Amino acid sequence: MVLLVVWIVAVVLVWAAVAIAFFAVRPGRHWLIVPATVPVAAIVIAGMLGPVATAPHPALALVAGLGLTVLGVVGGSPIVSVLLGVATRGSVPLGSHGGILVRDVRSPAPAQREILRGGTTIGYLERFALIGSVVAGQPGAVAVIVAVKGLGRYSELENELARERFIIGSLASLTWAGLCTAAIVMTAAAVS
């Protein structure tokens, strides 16, 4: 009975974290993601200390795993925003499409152009691909994901602000997806 209650509480916390993640995606609310990291951290730490307690019913592990998948994909964007804000101390101006504004050296007048646009969408896709490839038993695909992302953005990385933001954002996004994937794998292993 205790195990059932623990699993139900875990599932509720995971899905509460998912709701928080959707709310934290909005600009100015990214910091709300911090409490949503607790279920992932708890599962990963519990899994490092020993096997996660066997789920009393496979449906509980499935619902928890689905929630962790959604949290891994959606929660990465606010996590990246929070970490970029901390790393740059808010000094990197953002463009209207979520990219960063840099001085356009090709322009005779002091103009700015927005680079690294579409990073949010790319982040969703990379986290989904990472989680999906590892859960499907193909962890080697992670190298392909990282390579494609790096090559696809190479031409926009001539500016030091762009390089720094790209590296911090990519590592934060991939680390979050990796932690959520670890929690998913540990949850799946708890099915008897």
Side-chain angles (χ1 to χ4, degrees), residues 104-170:
D104 190 353
V105 294
R106 298 173 292 185
S107 173
Q112 291 186 320
R113 66 184 172 104
E114 187 174 1
I115 60 173
L116 297 180
R117 294 170 44 162
T120 301
T121 303
I122 293 168
Y124 287 136
L125 293 171
E126 84 182 6
R127 290 186 296 274
F128 182 74
L130 184 144
I131 292 168
S133 64
V134 173
V135 169
Q138 298 297 322
V142 174
V144 174
I145 294 164
V146 173
V148 166
K149 183 176 181 184
L151 291 174
R153 290 294 196 163
Y154 183 76
S155 64
E156 293 183 293
L157 299 177
E158 80 276 358
N159 181 288
E160 67 276 355
L161 290 176
R163 282 191 301 272
E164 181 178 285
R165 185 174 167 90
F166 177 79
I167 292 168
I168 293 169
S170 293

Side-chain angles (χ1 to χ4, degrees), residues 6 12 16-17 51 56 68 82 88 94 100 107-108 121 144 164 166 184 190:
V6 168
V12 168
L68 288 164
V82 167
T88 62
L94 296 179
I100 61 170
S107 173
T121 303
V144 174
E164 181 178 285
F166 177 79
I184 293 164

